[in-house]
Amino acid sequence: MIDLVVVGFTGELRALKLQARSIRLYAKPGTFNRIFYVCNDQSFGVFKRYIKYEVLPELGCFKEQVKVVDYKKLAGKRIRKTGWRSQQALKLLAVNIVSTPQFLILDSKNHFIRPIDKATFITPSGKLRVHSVPINELFRKHCIATCHYFGVEHGDKIEEAHPTTTPFMMATAITKGLLTNVEEREEKSFFDVFIENTEWNEFYFYYAYMLSRQGLIETTYDECERYTVALFGQAAESNERVRMLIDALGDTNICCTGVHRRIYEVGLSNNMSDIADMWLRFGLIKTRAEAAYFQTIEKPSKRKRFILF
């Protein structure tokens, strides 16, 4: 089995509910060992109550495997402001709570649309499935900086690498080795080191560490056909782009998708309608009223409240 880690915050609670529903509908029993919801937010009480009353009922047979974790348990401290940087660090630090040899990382926005099991993510020989992609130009500087940190030559020449998006399978032993390497080298906590270095991102950091160990990628990962297509924020103002991505979900190899919150924030009516149709097609909602609920963006909670649906 695989441990599942989801790092979220109170501005994406509704996405976690849709994700949980997709797990109940499409994950075969025995796929996941434990499900960890890590709260990257100061409002841990709000986050935990929503998980209890809204997410757990959607998880079906997986609800007994859930553990909700405050970011402070992983970071080792309270910080003044959580956000994208702390989210990235927490994805790597989650290795300290998992108990399986591999773990799957999801963002709140991810949800499944076709059946999945352990074989979706791990080959019969035990390698982790990955689909390499061209370097994301938005993050090229991160790739170069992380390669430099680990002494990987010609990091600026890399044109293709593991994705910087979820779902992403991580090897527990490698991730622990990465954290140990950094902490011994810097003589301070991994969380502090990572937060201070804004030229890094979590997945290129992990990738560069593996590149610095000859043959580690080849013995750990196996290239496969892509199994996810997500609707990222760059598509928010283009219905043509959103429709093209939704059409790509017709590929039966695609078992996971996701909708970035910016698409809801922009809120083009055609996009909202097409996404609702997609959810209806895959059985994630039964009515358009439900679509409106999941497409409504809430601000991160600053006080102890939550809304039941």
Side-chain angles (χ1 to χ4, degrees), residues 50 57 64 71 79 101 112 114-115 129 133-134 139 144 185 188 198 225-226 289 297 303:
Y50 190 92
E64 301 300 327
Y71 82 87
I79 60 175
F112 297 107
R114 289 187 175 89
R129 297 184 185 275
V133 296
F139 303 128
I144 295 171
R185 180 171 167 177
K188 59 197 306 186
T198 58
E225 294 186 32
R226 65 176 182 173
I297 289 292
R303 54 193 175 92

PDB file of all heavy atoms in Angstrom, residues 50 57 64 71 79 101 112 114-115 129 133-134 139 144 185 188 198 225-226 289 297 303:
ATOM      1  N   TYR A  50     -13.495  20.678   9.394  1.00  0.00           N
ATOM      2  CA  TYR A  50     -14.033  20.450   8.051  1.00  0.00           C
ATOM      3  C   TYR A  50     -13.696  19.040   7.576  1.00  0.00           C
ATOM      4  O   TYR A  50     -14.532  18.360   6.976  1.00  0.00           O
ATOM      5  CB  TYR A  50     -13.494  21.487   7.058  1.00  0.00           C
ATOM      6  CG  TYR A  50     -14.193  21.435   5.718  1.00  0.00           C
ATOM      7  CD1 TYR A  50     -15.293  22.236   5.459  1.00  0.00           C
ATOM      8  CD2 TYR A  50     -13.752  20.574   4.713  1.00  0.00           C
ATOM      9  CE1 TYR A  50     -15.943  22.177   4.231  1.00  0.00           C
ATOM     10  CE2 TYR A  50     -14.389  20.513   3.491  1.00  0.00           C
ATOM     11  CZ  TYR A  50     -15.486  21.314   3.252  1.00  0.00           C
ATOM     12  OH  TYR A  50     -16.135  21.240   2.038  1.00  0.00           O
ATOM     13  N   PRO A  57     -16.878  11.772   5.646  1.00  0.00           N
ATOM     14  CA  PRO A  57     -18.040  11.058   5.119  1.00  0.00           C
ATOM     15  C   PRO A  57     -17.947  10.732   3.636  1.00  0.00           C
ATOM     16  O   PRO A  57     -18.595   9.804   3.152  1.00  0.00           O
ATOM     17  CB  PRO A  57     -19.205  12.029   5.395  1.00  0.00           C
ATOM     18  CG  PRO A  57     -18.746  12.851   6.547  1.00  0.00           C
ATOM     19  CD  PRO A  57     -17.276  13.027   6.320  1.00  0.00           C
ATOM     20  N   GLU A  64     -11.268   5.653   7.952  1.00  0.00           N
ATOM     21  CA  GLU A  64     -10.579   5.271   9.187  1.00  0.00           C
ATOM     22  C   GLU A  64      -9.071   5.416   9.074  1.00  0.00           C
ATOM     23  O   GLU A  64      -8.351   5.282  10.064  1.00  0.00           O
ATOM     24  CB  GLU A  64     -10.924   3.819   9.550  1.00  0.00           C
ATOM     25  CG  GLU A  64     -12.417   3.562   9.762  1.00  0.00           C
ATOM     26  CD  GLU A  64     -13.001   4.395  10.884  1.00  0.00           C
ATOM     27  OE1 GLU A  64     -12.262   4.673  11.860  1.00  0.00           O
ATOM     28  OE2 GLU A  64     -14.187   4.783  10.784  1.00  0.00           O
ATOM     29  N   TYR A  71       0.778  21.934  10.472  1.00  0.00           N
ATOM     30  CA  TYR A  71       2.070  22.187   9.842  1.00  0.00           C
ATOM     31  C   TYR A  71       3.201  22.294  10.864  1.00  0.00           C
ATOM     32  O   TYR A  71       4.357  21.952  10.576  1.00  0.00           O
ATOM     33  CB  TYR A  71       2.011  23.456   8.980  1.00  0.00           C
ATOM     34  CG  TYR A  71       2.192  24.755   9.745  1.00  0.00           C
ATOM     35  CD1 TYR A  71       3.456  25.277   9.993  1.00  0.00           C
ATOM     36  CD2 TYR A  71       1.086  25.459  10.231  1.00  0.00           C
ATOM     37  CE1 TYR A  71       3.625  26.458  10.701  1.00  0.00           C
ATOM     38  CE2 TYR A  71       1.244  26.636  10.933  1.00  0.00           C
ATOM     39  CZ  TYR A  71       2.506  27.135  11.167  1.00  0.00           C
ATOM     40  OH  TYR A  71       2.668  28.295  11.873  1.00  0.00           O
ATOM     41  N   ILE A  79       5.218  29.711  12.221  1.00  0.00           N
ATOM     42  CA  ILE A  79       5.741  30.807  11.413  1.00  0.00           C
ATOM     43  C   ILE A  79       4.673  31.876  11.257  1.00  0.00           C
ATOM     44  O   ILE A  79       3.478  31.600  11.401  1.00  0.00           O
ATOM     45  CB  ILE A  79       6.242  30.323  10.034  1.00  0.00           C
ATOM     46  CG1 ILE A  79       5.119  29.658   9.234  1.00  0.00           C
ATOM     47  CG2 ILE A  79       7.424  29.383  10.199  1.00  0.00           C
ATOM     48  CD1 ILE A  79       5.546  29.282   7.822  1.00  0.00           C
ATOM     49  N   PRO A 101       7.213   2.557   1.982  1.00  0.00           N
ATOM     50  CA  PRO A 101       8.445   2.833   1.228  1.00  0.00           C
ATOM     51  C   PRO A 101       8.286   3.926   0.181  1.00  0.00           C
ATOM     52  O   PRO A 101       9.277   4.522  -0.252  1.00  0.00           O
ATOM     53  CB  PRO A 101       8.760   1.485   0.563  1.00  0.00           C
ATOM     54  CG  PRO A 101       8.079   0.471   1.417  1.00  0.00           C
ATOM     55  CD  PRO A 101       6.827   1.124   1.887  1.00  0.00           C
ATOM     56  N   PHE A 112      -9.593  12.227  -8.804  1.00  0.00           N
ATOM     57  CA  PHE A 112      -9.503  11.080  -9.696  1.00  0.00           C
ATOM     58  C   PHE A 112     -10.764  10.963 -10.545  1.00  0.00           C
ATOM     59  O   PHE A 112     -11.867  11.319 -10.111  1.00  0.00           O
ATOM     60  CB  PHE A 112      -9.272   9.804  -8.896  1.00  0.00           C
ATOM     61  CG  PHE A 112      -7.977   9.808  -8.133  1.00  0.00           C
ATOM     62  CD1 PHE A 112      -7.952   9.964  -6.756  1.00  0.00           C
ATOM     63  CD2 PHE A 112      -6.766   9.697  -8.807  1.00  0.00           C
ATOM     64  CE1 PHE A 112      -6.753   9.997  -6.053  1.00  0.00           C
ATOM     65  CE2 PHE A 112      -5.559   9.721  -8.121  1.00  0.00           C
ATOM     66  CZ  PHE A 112      -5.549   9.883  -6.743  1.00  0.00           C
ATOM     67  N   ARG A 114     -10.872   8.068 -12.961  1.00  0.00           N
ATOM     68  CA  ARG A 114     -10.933   6.666 -13.393  1.00  0.00           C
ATOM     69  C   ARG A 114     -10.330   5.798 -12.292  1.00  0.00           C
ATOM     70  O   ARG A 114      -9.623   6.300 -11.420  1.00  0.00           O
ATOM     71  CB  ARG A 114     -10.174   6.464 -14.718  1.00  0.00           C
ATOM     72  CG  ARG A 114     -10.892   7.082 -15.923  1.00  0.00           C
ATOM     73  CD  ARG A 114     -10.199   6.709 -17.241  1.00  0.00           C
ATOM     74  NE  ARG A 114     -10.972   7.221 -18.375  1.00  0.00           N
ATOM     75  CZ  ARG A 114     -10.804   8.433 -18.910  1.00  0.00           C
ATOM     76  NH1 ARG A 114      -9.853   9.227 -18.417  1.00  0.00           N
ATOM     77  NH2 ARG A 114     -11.555   8.834 -19.911  1.00  0.00           N
ATOM     78  N   PRO A 115     -10.602   4.483 -12.334  1.00  0.00           N
ATOM     79  CA  PRO A 115     -10.120   3.601 -11.262  1.00  0.00           C
ATOM     80  C   PRO A 115      -8.599   3.650 -11.097  1.00  0.00           C
ATOM     81  O   PRO A 115      -7.849   3.706 -12.079  1.00  0.00           O
ATOM     82  CB  PRO A 115     -10.585   2.217 -11.723  1.00  0.00           C
ATOM     83  CG  PRO A 115     -11.805   2.489 -12.555  1.00  0.00           C
ATOM     84  CD  PRO A 115     -11.477   3.765 -13.287  1.00  0.00           C
ATOM     85  N   ARG A 129       6.197   5.072 -11.055  1.00  0.00           N
ATOM     86  CA  ARG A 129       5.850   5.546 -12.397  1.00  0.00           C
ATOM     87  C   ARG A 129       5.952   7.066 -12.473  1.00  0.00           C
ATOM     88  O   ARG A 129       5.485   7.772 -11.584  1.00  0.00           O
ATOM     89  CB  ARG A 129       4.436   5.104 -12.769  1.00  0.00           C
ATOM     90  CG  ARG A 129       4.262   3.587 -12.847  1.00  0.00           C
ATOM     91  CD  ARG A 129       2.861   3.225 -13.327  1.00  0.00           C
ATOM     92  NE  ARG A 129       2.619   1.803 -13.300  1.00  0.00           N
ATOM     93  CZ  ARG A 129       2.945   0.954 -14.279  1.00  0.00           C
ATOM     94  NH1 ARG A 129       3.538   1.425 -15.373  1.00  0.00           N
ATOM     95  NH2 ARG A 129       2.674  -0.333 -14.176  1.00  0.00           N
ATOM     96  N   VAL A 133       8.625  15.585 -18.462  1.00  0.00           N
ATOM     97  CA  VAL A 133       8.066  16.656 -19.289  1.00  0.00           C
ATOM     98  C   VAL A 133       9.140  17.712 -19.532  1.00  0.00           C
ATOM     99  O   VAL A 133      10.138  17.781 -18.811  1.00  0.00           O
ATOM    100  CB  VAL A 133       6.849  17.313 -18.592  1.00  0.00           C
ATOM    101  CG1 VAL A 133       5.711  16.322 -18.425  1.00  0.00           C
ATOM    102  CG2 VAL A 133       7.247  17.898 -17.234  1.00  0.00           C
ATOM    103  N   PRO A 134       8.956  18.556 -20.547  1.00  0.00           N
ATOM    104  CA  PRO A 134       9.900  19.655 -20.754  1.00  0.00           C
ATOM    105  C   PRO A 134       9.968  20.546 -19.512  1.00  0.00           C
ATOM    106  O   PRO A 134       8.989  20.691 -18.783  1.00  0.00           O
ATOM    107  CB  PRO A 134       9.307  20.411 -21.948  1.00  0.00           C
ATOM    108  CG  PRO A 134       8.493  19.378 -22.675  1.00  0.00           C
ATOM    109  CD  PRO A 134       7.921  18.494 -21.604  1.00  0.00           C
ATOM    110  N   PHE A 139       9.769  27.886 -14.037  1.00  0.00           N
ATOM    111  CA  PHE A 139      10.580  27.392 -12.928  1.00  0.00           C
ATOM    112  C   PHE A 139      11.989  26.995 -13.348  1.00  0.00           C
ATOM    113  O   PHE A 139      12.694  26.327 -12.602  1.00  0.00           O
ATOM    114  CB  PHE A 139       9.889  26.189 -12.272  1.00  0.00           C
ATOM    115  CG  PHE A 139       8.501  26.486 -11.772  1.00  0.00           C
ATOM    116  CD1 PHE A 139       7.432  25.674 -12.133  1.00  0.00           C
ATOM    117  CD2 PHE A 139       8.258  27.573 -10.953  1.00  0.00           C
ATOM    118  CE1 PHE A 139       6.148  25.949 -11.680  1.00  0.00           C
ATOM    119  CE2 PHE A 139       6.982  27.858 -10.492  1.00  0.00           C
ATOM    120  CZ  PHE A 139       5.920  27.049 -10.852  1.00  0.00           C
ATOM    121  N   ILE A 144      17.892  25.230 -12.299  1.00  0.00           N
ATOM    122  CA  ILE A 144      19.308  25.590 -12.350  1.00  0.00           C
ATOM    123  C   ILE A 144      19.874  25.749 -10.940  1.00  0.00           C
ATOM    124  O   ILE A 144      20.957  25.247 -10.615  1.00  0.00           O
ATOM    125  CB  ILE A 144      19.496  26.883 -13.161  1.00  0.00           C
ATOM    126  CG1 ILE A 144      19.109  26.642 -14.634  1.00  0.00           C
ATOM    127  CG2 ILE A 144      20.934  27.387 -13.059  1.00  0.00           C
ATOM    128  CD1 ILE A 144      19.060  27.909 -15.475  1.00  0.00           C
ATOM    129  N   ARG A 185      24.620  19.457   6.179  1.00  0.00           N
ATOM    130  CA  ARG A 185      25.425  20.413   5.430  1.00  0.00           C
ATOM    131  C   ARG A 185      25.245  21.843   5.951  1.00  0.00           C
ATOM    132  O   ARG A 185      26.212  22.600   6.072  1.00  0.00           O
ATOM    133  CB  ARG A 185      25.016  20.326   3.960  1.00  0.00           C
ATOM    134  CG  ARG A 185      25.728  21.232   3.003  1.00  0.00           C
ATOM    135  CD  ARG A 185      25.322  20.800   1.588  1.00  0.00           C
ATOM    136  NE  ARG A 185      25.691  21.737   0.580  1.00  0.00           N
ATOM    137  CZ  ARG A 185      25.501  21.551  -0.719  1.00  0.00           C
ATOM    138  NH1 ARG A 185      24.919  20.436  -1.132  1.00  0.00           N
ATOM    139  NH2 ARG A 185      25.875  22.449  -1.597  1.00  0.00           N
ATOM    140  N   LYS A 188      21.273  23.315  10.268  1.00  0.00           N
ATOM    141  CA  LYS A 188      20.025  23.918  10.704  1.00  0.00           C
ATOM    142  C   LYS A 188      18.874  23.085  10.142  1.00  0.00           C
ATOM    143  O   LYS A 188      19.106  22.184   9.324  1.00  0.00           O
ATOM    144  CB  LYS A 188      19.926  25.379  10.272  1.00  0.00           C
ATOM    145  CG  LYS A 188      19.998  25.582   8.788  1.00  0.00           C
ATOM    146  CD  LYS A 188      20.323  27.020   8.392  1.00  0.00           C
ATOM    147  CE  LYS A 188      19.433  28.060   8.970  1.00  0.00           C
ATOM    148  NZ  LYS A 188      19.703  29.416   8.428  1.00  0.00           N
ATOM    149  N   THR A 198      14.585  31.026  -1.813  1.00  0.00           N
ATOM    150  CA  THR A 198      13.418  31.184  -2.686  1.00  0.00           C
ATOM    151  C   THR A 198      13.683  30.761  -4.130  1.00  0.00           C
ATOM    152  O   THR A 198      12.750  30.743  -4.934  1.00  0.00           O
ATOM    153  CB  THR A 198      12.940  32.641  -2.667  1.00  0.00           C
ATOM    154  OG1 THR A 198      14.013  33.501  -3.079  1.00  0.00           O
ATOM    155  CG2 THR A 198      12.499  33.042  -1.257  1.00  0.00           C
ATOM    156  N   GLU A 225       3.430   6.308 -19.602  1.00  0.00           N
ATOM    157  CA  GLU A 225       2.529   7.281 -20.208  1.00  0.00           C
ATOM    158  C   GLU A 225       1.942   8.158 -19.110  1.00  0.00           C
ATOM    159  O   GLU A 225       1.747   7.724 -17.978  1.00  0.00           O
ATOM    160  CB  GLU A 225       1.410   6.559 -20.960  1.00  0.00           C
ATOM    161  CG  GLU A 225       1.882   5.764 -22.157  1.00  0.00           C
ATOM    162  CD  GLU A 225       0.720   5.199 -22.955  1.00  0.00           C
ATOM    163  OE1 GLU A 225      -0.350   5.841 -22.993  1.00  0.00           O
ATOM    164  OE2 GLU A 225       0.873   4.106 -23.512  1.00  0.00           O
ATOM    165  N   ARG A 226       1.671   9.390 -19.451  1.00  0.00           N
ATOM    166  CA  ARG A 226       1.126  10.296 -18.448  1.00  0.00           C
ATOM    167  C   ARG A 226      -0.232   9.790 -17.964  1.00  0.00           C
ATOM    168  O   ARG A 226      -1.009   9.217 -18.735  1.00  0.00           O
ATOM    169  CB  ARG A 226       0.991  11.718 -18.998  1.00  0.00           C
ATOM    170  CG  ARG A 226      -0.021  11.867 -20.132  1.00  0.00           C
ATOM    171  CD  ARG A 226      -0.156  13.323 -20.525  1.00  0.00           C
ATOM    172  NE  ARG A 226      -1.160  13.480 -21.585  1.00  0.00           N
ATOM    173  CZ  ARG A 226      -1.596  14.647 -22.041  1.00  0.00           C
ATOM    174  NH1 ARG A 226      -1.100  15.773 -21.532  1.00  0.00           N
ATOM    175  NH2 ARG A 226      -2.493  14.714 -22.995  1.00  0.00           N
ATOM    176  N   ALA A 289     -26.019  22.351  -9.072  1.00  0.00           N
ATOM    177  CA  ALA A 289     -25.955  23.070  -7.796  1.00  0.00           C
ATOM    178  C   ALA A 289     -24.702  22.658  -7.029  1.00  0.00           C
ATOM    179  O   ALA A 289     -24.051  23.493  -6.395  1.00  0.00           O
ATOM    180  CB  ALA A 289     -27.200  22.782  -6.970  1.00  0.00           C
ATOM    181  N   ILE A 297     -14.950  30.031  -4.441  1.00  0.00           N
ATOM    182  CA  ILE A 297     -13.677  30.228  -3.742  1.00  0.00           C
ATOM    183  C   ILE A 297     -13.929  30.927  -2.407  1.00  0.00           C
ATOM    184  O   ILE A 297     -14.636  31.935  -2.347  1.00  0.00           O
ATOM    185  CB  ILE A 297     -12.718  31.080  -4.593  1.00  0.00           C
ATOM    186  CG1 ILE A 297     -12.214  30.271  -5.794  1.00  0.00           C
ATOM    187  CG2 ILE A 297     -11.543  31.569  -3.762  1.00  0.00           C
ATOM    188  CD1 ILE A 297     -11.300  29.129  -5.425  1.00  0.00           C
ATOM    189  N   ARG A 303     -10.681  33.057  11.410  1.00  0.00           N
ATOM    190  CA  ARG A 303     -11.363  32.843  12.680  1.00  0.00           C
ATOM    191  C   ARG A 303     -12.004  31.473  12.658  1.00  0.00           C
ATOM    192  O   ARG A 303     -12.112  30.830  11.619  1.00  0.00           O
ATOM    193  CB  ARG A 303     -12.401  33.932  12.947  1.00  0.00           C
ATOM    194  CG  ARG A 303     -13.413  34.128  11.822  1.00  0.00           C
ATOM    195  CD  ARG A 303     -14.175  35.426  12.030  1.00  0.00           C
ATOM    196  NE  ARG A 303     -15.078  35.730  10.940  1.00  0.00           N
ATOM    197  CZ  ARG A 303     -16.338  35.382  10.902  1.00  0.00           C
ATOM    198  NH1 ARG A 303     -16.864  34.700  11.901  1.00  0.00           N
ATOM    199  NH2 ARG A 303     -17.109  35.704   9.875  1.00  0.00           N
TER     200      ARG A 303
END
